[in-house]
């Protein structure tokens, strides 16, 4: 009797029976960063971006959602990379206030931040993401009960800022022409301004002067002044915050007309060197019009991040947390590469627009936290050699 066919079929049967176990292998979602409580302040912020636009987002104990907006090209008169602004979003009744079942998730597979609040049978979910095709931020909400929504810009550059010399000595890229014996008394950044828009909150920063000529003088490169345009002069950057069903209450605030169960709050951003504000505002509006609506943009964003993660990755079981921590730094770098998609500036310059990302590694004493670096089951992403030339699994 020929037993080879029997052995083959037994092997095949064993493979089939084993396959369900294999199908339960780790996924990207196993490494989502999940918090079960709000953050005390901006030190508990989560980062997100699309290569040109970035945010650092957190939820206060009061239940208000706050975030800083940033771009890769928002350079001030003195050559400092500035945040675009700070926004507060309040819901009433507040589904994230004390007493609710709170969850904040950095969804790696979909490139979103999801905030969920549950109180009894009531459930509210906010989904925040950067449009993959435009420098536009979306906040989508689905709530089982109607809520009033208020979105407020909270500016802090409300007066001209004369940068202290001490700041430029800290190595933080602040007005460096003022270091040493060279004192530049014009190293002043202007205040942010608002525009009169009947349907939206619009604010901007515009450089009416520039330290570029002084920088060339300091470096004894006077001859180059006529060959290259000033990259700072008349550079204007800002935000237009609006949404269907929202009305303007003040120069800095919009709110829903009535309680709603769904909303799409949009923040369109623009940076351009223009001869006047009117031209910049036209470009800002064009950016907003070119962006997809919230649902279509969310679908496109999910597809972009799916394609990104599907390029290559491996899962690693580590013997201890210390080894896991070191390997996880590669994971963080992989996420950083995703957040720094091709924008308007070279990749190496973009690294600053999401600086200060403590929220990704929020300390456990701020609330229950599940983060990739806290466990021994890790996701390690593989990269092209030109991205991380020294990133090799064999090092660990």
């Amino acid at each position: 009797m020929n037993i080879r066919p029997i052995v083959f079929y037994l092997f095949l049967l064993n493979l089939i029976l084993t396959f369900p176990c294999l199908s339960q292998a780790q996924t990207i979602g196993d490494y989502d960063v999940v918090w079960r409580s709000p953050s005390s302040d901006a030190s508990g912020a989560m980062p997100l971006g699309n290569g040109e636009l970035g945010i650092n987002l957190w939820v206060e104990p009061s239940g208000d959602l706050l975030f800083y907006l940033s771009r890769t090209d928002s350079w001030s008169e003195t050559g400092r990379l500035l945040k675009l602004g700070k926004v507060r979003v309040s819901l009433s009744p507040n589904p994230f206030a004390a007493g609710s079942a709170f969850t904040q998730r950095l969804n790696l597979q979909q490139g979103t931040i999801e905030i969920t609040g549950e109180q009894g049978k009531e459930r509210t979910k906010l989904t925040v993401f950067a449009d993959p095709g435009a420098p536009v931020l979306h906040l989508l909400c689905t709530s089982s009960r109607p809520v009033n929504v208020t979105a407020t810009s909270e500016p802090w550059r409300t007066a001209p800022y004369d940068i202290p010399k001490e700041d430029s000595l800290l190595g933080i890229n602040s007005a460096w022409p003022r270091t040493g014996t060279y004192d530049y008394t014009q190293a002043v950044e202007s205040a942010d301004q608002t525009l009169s828009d009947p349907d939206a909150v619009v604010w901007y920063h515009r450089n009416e002067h520039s330290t570029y000529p002084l920088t060339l003088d300091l470096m004894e490169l006077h001859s180059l002044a006529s060959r290259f345009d000033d990259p700072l002069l008349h550079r204007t950057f800002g935000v237009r915050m609006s949404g269907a069903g929202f009305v303007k209450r003040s120069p800095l605030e919009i709110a829903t007309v009535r309680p709603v169960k769904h909303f799409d709050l949009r923040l369109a951003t623009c940076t351009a060197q223009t001869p006047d504000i009117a031209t910049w505002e036209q470009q800002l509006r064009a950016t907003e019009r070119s962006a997809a609506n919230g649902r279509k943009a969310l679908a496109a964003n999910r597809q972009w991040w799916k394609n990104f993660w599907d390029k290559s990755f491996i899962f690693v079981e580590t013997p201890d947390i210390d080894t896991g921590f070191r390997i996880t730094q590669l994971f963080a770098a992989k996420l950083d590469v995703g957040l720094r998609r091709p924008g308007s500036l070279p990749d190496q310059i973009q690294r600053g627009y999401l600086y200060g990302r403590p929220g990704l590694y929020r300390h456990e004493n701020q609330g229950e936290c599940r983060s990739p670096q806290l466990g021994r089951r890790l996701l390690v992403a593989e990269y092209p050699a030109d991205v991380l030339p020294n990133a090799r699994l064999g090092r660990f």
Side-chain angles (χ1 to χ4, degrees):
M1 179 180 179
N2 188 352
I3 65 170
R4 290 183 180 178
I6 297 176
V7 172
F8 171 77
Y9 286 119
L10 287 175
F11 170 77
L12 185 60
L13 178 61
N14 179 68
L15 185 62
I16 294 174
L17 293 175
T18 305
F19 182 77
C21 297
L22 297 177
S23 66
Q24 297 176 13
Q26 295 130 292
T27 66
I28 300 295
D30 291 339
Y31 302 91
D32 288 355
V33 180
V34 181
W35 298 339
R36 304 295 183 186
S37 64
S39 301
S40 57
D41 50 40
S43 65
M46 276 187 176
L48 202 64
N50 68 357
E52 191 170 16
L53 169 67
I55 64 168
N56 295 83
L57 176 152
W58 71 100
V59 176
E60 286 186 338
S62 67
D64 283 357
L65 170 70
L66 294 97
F67 54 88
Y68 287 108
L69 281 160
S70 57
R71 282 184 59 106
T72 61
D73 49 11
S74 52
W75 300 98
S76 74
E77 300 92 326
T78 63
R80 296 202 309 163
L81 187 63
L82 303 182
K83 296 290 188 184
L84 297 180
K86 178 184 177 184
V87 174
R88 177 184 298 269
V89 179
S90 304
L91 278 62
S92 178
N94 198 320
F96 310 123
S100 66
F102 177 88
T103 303
Q104 180 174 330
R105 176 185 298 272
L106 178 59
N107 189 319
L108 301 176
Q109 181 70 59
Q110 299 185 10
T112 61
I113 294 177
E114 300 166 355
I115 305 164
T116 305
E118 298 184 58
Q119 298 175 344
K121 296 182 179 180
E122 306 295 346
R123 185 176 190 270
T124 300
K125 180 180 180 180
L126 279 175
T127 302
V128 185
F129 65 98
D131 191 314
V136 177
L137 182 73
H138 290 269
L139 284 82
L140 302 183
C141 176
T142 300
S143 179
S144 60
R145 65 177 174 180
V147 293
N148 292 293
V149 187
T150 302
T152 309
S153 170
E154 297 188 345
W156 65 92
R157 292 189 295 265
T158 56
Y161 178 52
D162 187 352
I163 300 174
K165 183 177 180 180
E166 304 79 57
D167 283 1
S168 60
L169 296 176
L170 297 178
I172 56 174
N173 299 323
S174 292
W176 65 269
R178 299 191 68 175
T179 59
T181 59
Y182 204 111
D183 184 19
Y184 179 44
T185 58
Q186 297 300 314
V188 179
E189 293 171 345
S190 59
D192 290 354
Q193 305 291 330
T194 60
L195 283 178
S196 177
D197 188 313
D199 303 315
V201 172
V202 182
W203 70 93
Y204 67 91
H205 185 98
R206 181 171 173 84
N207 302 339
E208 293 294 359
H209 69 274
S210 165
T211 59
Y212 178 69
L214 178 76
T215 303
L216 293 181
D217 289 343
L218 183 64
M219 300 178 69
E220 299 184 358
L221 297 174
H222 327 276
S223 61
L224 299 180
S226 61
R227 295 178 54 189
F228 299 99
D229 294 333
D230 188 326
L232 301 178
L233 187 63
H234 298 154
R235 178 174 290 265
T236 308
F237 45 89
V239 182
R240 185 176 194 271
M241 181 169 65
S242 62
F246 284 81
V247 295
K248 193 170 183 179
R249 285 185 174 175
S250 75
L252 298 176
E253 181 180 288
I254 58 174
T256 50
V257 178
R258 60 183 62 85
V260 296
K261 290 187 175 182
H262 306 275
F263 69 82
D264 176 7
L265 183 65
R266 292 158 51 111
L267 292 93
T269 71
C270 176
T271 297
Q273 287 182 271
T274 60
D276 49 53
I277 288 297
T279 304
W280 174 82
E281 186 179 13
Q282 291 175 4
Q283 295 189 26
L284 174 64
R285 287 180 172 272
T287 296
E288 185 179 44
R289 288 194 299 269
S290 67
N293 64 49
R295 297 300 171 185
K296 290 183 179 179
L298 179 59
N301 187 65
R302 287 170 172 167
Q303 186 61 50
W304 194 98
W305 280 95
K306 181 180 184 301
N307 294 342
F308 173 78
W309 288 113
D310 283 350
K311 289 179 181 178
S312 63
F313 58 86
I314 58 176
F315 296 105
V316 178
E317 295 284 349
T318 64
D320 54 70
I321 291 180
D322 180 64
T323 302
F325 174 83
R326 287 183 291 154
I327 296 180
T328 306
Q329 303 317 294
L330 303 184
F331 160 84
K334 175 70 170 180
L335 176 62
D336 187 52
V337 170
L339 295 178
R340 293 185 289 111
R341 287 176 251 173
S344 59
L345 292 176
D347 182 70
Q348 63 269 28
I349 297 178
Q350 294 185 38
R351 299 180 72 80
Y353 88 119
L354 283 174
Y355 67 86
R357 296 174 297 154
L360 187 58
Y361 313 116
R362 188 177 75 162
H363 197 279
E364 289 177 281
N365 63 17
Q366 290 190 357
E368 181 183 347
C369 173
R370 182 165 68 89
S371 171
Q373 75 174 39
L374 299 179
R376 293 169 56 185
R377 297 174 65 233
L378 300 167
L379 162 67
V380 180
E382 293 185 313
Y383 324 79
D386 60 338
V387 176
L388 288 177
N390 296 321
R392 296 291 183 269
L393 186 58
R395 291 181 60 196
F396 305 99

PDB file of all heavy atoms in Angstrom, residues 245-260:
ATOM      1  N   GLY A 245     -23.071  74.028   9.269  1.00  0.00           N
ATOM      2  CA  GLY A 245     -23.879  74.097  10.481  1.00  0.00           C
ATOM      3  C   GLY A 245     -23.287  74.947  11.577  1.00  0.00           C
ATOM      4  O   GLY A 245     -23.881  75.084  12.653  1.00  0.00           O
ATOM      5  N   PHE A 246     -22.085  75.547  11.318  1.00  0.00           N
ATOM      6  CA  PHE A 246     -21.452  76.430  12.294  1.00  0.00           C
ATOM      7  C   PHE A 246     -21.692  77.891  11.903  1.00  0.00           C
ATOM      8  O   PHE A 246     -21.738  78.222  10.715  1.00  0.00           O
ATOM      9  CB  PHE A 246     -19.943  76.179  12.356  1.00  0.00           C
ATOM     10  CG  PHE A 246     -19.552  74.942  13.101  1.00  0.00           C
ATOM     11  CD1 PHE A 246     -19.619  73.693  12.485  1.00  0.00           C
ATOM     12  CD2 PHE A 246     -19.088  75.001  14.407  1.00  0.00           C
ATOM     13  CE1 PHE A 246     -19.250  72.539  13.156  1.00  0.00           C
ATOM     14  CE2 PHE A 246     -18.704  73.855  15.089  1.00  0.00           C
ATOM     15  CZ  PHE A 246     -18.788  72.620  14.467  1.00  0.00           C
ATOM     16  N   VAL A 247     -21.833  78.747  12.901  1.00  0.00           N
ATOM     17  CA  VAL A 247     -21.951  80.189  12.674  1.00  0.00           C
ATOM     18  C   VAL A 247     -20.879  80.892  13.485  1.00  0.00           C
ATOM     19  O   VAL A 247     -20.392  80.368  14.495  1.00  0.00           O
ATOM     20  CB  VAL A 247     -23.344  80.727  13.059  1.00  0.00           C
ATOM     21  CG1 VAL A 247     -24.411  80.127  12.154  1.00  0.00           C
ATOM     22  CG2 VAL A 247     -23.655  80.438  14.526  1.00  0.00           C
ATOM     23  N   LYS A 248     -20.530  82.080  13.043  1.00  0.00           N
ATOM     24  CA  LYS A 248     -19.481  82.835  13.716  1.00  0.00           C
ATOM     25  C   LYS A 248     -20.076  83.642  14.866  1.00  0.00           C
ATOM     26  O   LYS A 248     -21.016  84.418  14.690  1.00  0.00           O
ATOM     27  CB  LYS A 248     -18.788  83.765  12.724  1.00  0.00           C
ATOM     28  CG  LYS A 248     -17.499  84.366  13.232  1.00  0.00           C
ATOM     29  CD  LYS A 248     -16.764  85.059  12.109  1.00  0.00           C
ATOM     30  CE  LYS A 248     -15.428  85.596  12.575  1.00  0.00           C
ATOM     31  NZ  LYS A 248     -14.701  86.243  11.464  1.00  0.00           N
ATOM     32  N   ARG A 249     -19.519  83.473  16.046  1.00  0.00           N
ATOM     33  CA  ARG A 249     -19.982  84.188  17.233  1.00  0.00           C
ATOM     34  C   ARG A 249     -19.093  85.369  17.587  1.00  0.00           C
ATOM     35  O   ARG A 249     -19.541  86.337  18.196  1.00  0.00           O
ATOM     36  CB  ARG A 249     -20.049  83.239  18.432  1.00  0.00           C
ATOM     37  CG  ARG A 249     -21.222  82.275  18.400  1.00  0.00           C
ATOM     38  CD  ARG A 249     -21.254  81.482  19.692  1.00  0.00           C
ATOM     39  NE  ARG A 249     -22.434  80.642  19.797  1.00  0.00           N
ATOM     40  CZ  ARG A 249     -22.649  79.790  20.790  1.00  0.00           C
ATOM     41  NH1 ARG A 249     -21.748  79.667  21.770  1.00  0.00           N
ATOM     42  NH2 ARG A 249     -23.743  79.065  20.833  1.00  0.00           N
ATOM     43  N   SER A 250     -17.819  85.269  17.246  1.00  0.00           N
ATOM     44  CA  SER A 250     -16.862  86.337  17.528  1.00  0.00           C
ATOM     45  C   SER A 250     -15.694  86.170  16.563  1.00  0.00           C
ATOM     46  O   SER A 250     -15.627  85.164  15.839  1.00  0.00           O
ATOM     47  CB  SER A 250     -16.384  86.255  18.980  1.00  0.00           C
ATOM     48  OG  SER A 250     -15.470  85.185  19.150  1.00  0.00           O
ATOM     49  N   PRO A 251     -14.758  87.114  16.522  1.00  0.00           N
ATOM     50  CA  PRO A 251     -13.609  86.967  15.619  1.00  0.00           C
ATOM     51  C   PRO A 251     -12.807  85.693  15.842  1.00  0.00           C
ATOM     52  O   PRO A 251     -12.093  85.245  14.945  1.00  0.00           O
ATOM     53  CB  PRO A 251     -12.773  88.211  15.923  1.00  0.00           C
ATOM     54  CG  PRO A 251     -13.764  89.222  16.385  1.00  0.00           C
ATOM     55  CD  PRO A 251     -14.767  88.434  17.166  1.00  0.00           C
ATOM     56  N   LEU A 252     -12.940  85.080  17.047  1.00  0.00           N
ATOM     57  CA  LEU A 252     -12.138  83.898  17.364  1.00  0.00           C
ATOM     58  C   LEU A 252     -12.964  82.647  17.609  1.00  0.00           C
ATOM     59  O   LEU A 252     -12.406  81.607  17.966  1.00  0.00           O
ATOM     60  CB  LEU A 252     -11.277  84.171  18.606  1.00  0.00           C
ATOM     61  CG  LEU A 252     -10.243  85.293  18.494  1.00  0.00           C
ATOM     62  CD1 LEU A 252      -9.553  85.500  19.831  1.00  0.00           C
ATOM     63  CD2 LEU A 252      -9.229  85.004  17.401  1.00  0.00           C
ATOM     64  N   GLU A 253     -14.283  82.693  17.400  1.00  0.00           N
ATOM     65  CA  GLU A 253     -15.124  81.564  17.804  1.00  0.00           C
ATOM     66  C   GLU A 253     -16.241  81.288  16.802  1.00  0.00           C
ATOM     67  O   GLU A 253     -16.890  82.200  16.306  1.00  0.00           O
ATOM     68  CB  GLU A 253     -15.725  81.848  19.181  1.00  0.00           C
ATOM     69  CG  GLU A 253     -16.604  80.738  19.732  1.00  0.00           C
ATOM     70  CD  GLU A 253     -17.161  81.076  21.101  1.00  0.00           C
ATOM     71  OE1 GLU A 253     -16.367  81.060  22.064  1.00  0.00           O
ATOM     72  OE2 GLU A 253     -18.367  81.382  21.199  1.00  0.00           O
ATOM     73  N   ILE A 254     -16.449  79.997  16.523  1.00  0.00           N
ATOM     74  CA  ILE A 254     -17.613  79.541  15.770  1.00  0.00           C
ATOM     75  C   ILE A 254     -18.323  78.479  16.592  1.00  0.00           C
ATOM     76  O   ILE A 254     -17.704  77.829  17.446  1.00  0.00           O
ATOM     77  CB  ILE A 254     -17.241  78.977  14.375  1.00  0.00           C
ATOM     78  CG1 ILE A 254     -16.254  77.807  14.508  1.00  0.00           C
ATOM     79  CG2 ILE A 254     -16.697  80.050  13.462  1.00  0.00           C
ATOM     80  CD1 ILE A 254     -15.959  77.120  13.179  1.00  0.00           C
ATOM     81  N   ALA A 255     -19.613  78.290  16.346  1.00  0.00           N
ATOM     82  CA  ALA A 255     -20.393  77.322  17.117  1.00  0.00           C
ATOM     83  C   ALA A 255     -21.534  76.807  16.261  1.00  0.00           C
ATOM     84  O   ALA A 255     -21.957  77.450  15.287  1.00  0.00           O
ATOM     85  CB  ALA A 255     -20.935  77.959  18.397  1.00  0.00           C
ATOM     86  N   THR A 256     -22.037  75.644  16.603  1.00  0.00           N
ATOM     87  CA  THR A 256     -23.173  75.087  15.872  1.00  0.00           C
ATOM     88  C   THR A 256     -24.437  75.899  16.183  1.00  0.00           C
ATOM     89  O   THR A 256     -24.599  76.410  17.298  1.00  0.00           O
ATOM     90  CB  THR A 256     -23.408  73.617  16.249  1.00  0.00           C
ATOM     91  OG1 THR A 256     -23.455  73.490  17.684  1.00  0.00           O
ATOM     92  CG2 THR A 256     -22.278  72.738  15.716  1.00  0.00           C
ATOM     93  N   VAL A 257     -25.307  75.998  15.192  1.00  0.00           N
ATOM     94  CA  VAL A 257     -26.548  76.754  15.350  1.00  0.00           C
ATOM     95  C   VAL A 257     -27.457  76.086  16.368  1.00  0.00           C
ATOM     96  O   VAL A 257     -28.133  76.745  17.164  1.00  0.00           O
ATOM     97  CB  VAL A 257     -27.270  76.889  13.998  1.00  0.00           C
ATOM     98  CG1 VAL A 257     -28.588  77.644  14.156  1.00  0.00           C
ATOM     99  CG2 VAL A 257     -26.380  77.562  12.976  1.00  0.00           C
ATOM    100  N   ARG A 258     -27.458  74.759  16.349  1.00  0.00           N
ATOM    101  CA  ARG A 258     -28.303  73.967  17.243  1.00  0.00           C
ATOM    102  C   ARG A 258     -27.563  72.680  17.595  1.00  0.00           C
ATOM    103  O   ARG A 258     -26.551  72.348  16.950  1.00  0.00           O
ATOM    104  CB  ARG A 258     -29.631  73.648  16.561  1.00  0.00           C
ATOM    105  CG  ARG A 258     -29.482  72.855  15.270  1.00  0.00           C
ATOM    106  CD  ARG A 258     -30.829  72.624  14.575  1.00  0.00           C
ATOM    107  NE  ARG A 258     -31.443  73.887  14.197  1.00  0.00           N
ATOM    108  CZ  ARG A 258     -31.170  74.531  13.056  1.00  0.00           C
ATOM    109  NH1 ARG A 258     -30.277  74.022  12.214  1.00  0.00           N
ATOM    110  NH2 ARG A 258     -31.759  75.658  12.765  1.00  0.00           N
ATOM    111  N   PRO A 259     -28.027  71.937  18.586  1.00  0.00           N
ATOM    112  CA  PRO A 259     -27.374  70.656  18.914  1.00  0.00           C
ATOM    113  C   PRO A 259     -27.369  69.712  17.711  1.00  0.00           C
ATOM    114  O   PRO A 259     -28.355  69.639  16.969  1.00  0.00           O
ATOM    115  CB  PRO A 259     -28.224  70.118  20.061  1.00  0.00           C
ATOM    116  CG  PRO A 259     -28.841  71.325  20.674  1.00  0.00           C
ATOM    117  CD  PRO A 259     -29.108  72.263  19.541  1.00  0.00           C
ATOM    118  N   VAL A 260     -26.269  69.010  17.524  1.00  0.00           N
ATOM    119  CA  VAL A 260     -26.115  68.124  16.366  1.00  0.00           C
ATOM    120  C   VAL A 260     -25.597  66.760  16.816  1.00  0.00           C
ATOM    121  O   VAL A 260     -24.956  66.634  17.863  1.00  0.00           O
ATOM    122  CB  VAL A 260     -25.143  68.722  15.324  1.00  0.00           C
ATOM    123  CG1 VAL A 260     -25.695  70.010  14.745  1.00  0.00           C
ATOM    124  CG2 VAL A 260     -23.762  68.975  15.948  1.00  0.00           C
TER     125      VAL A 260
END
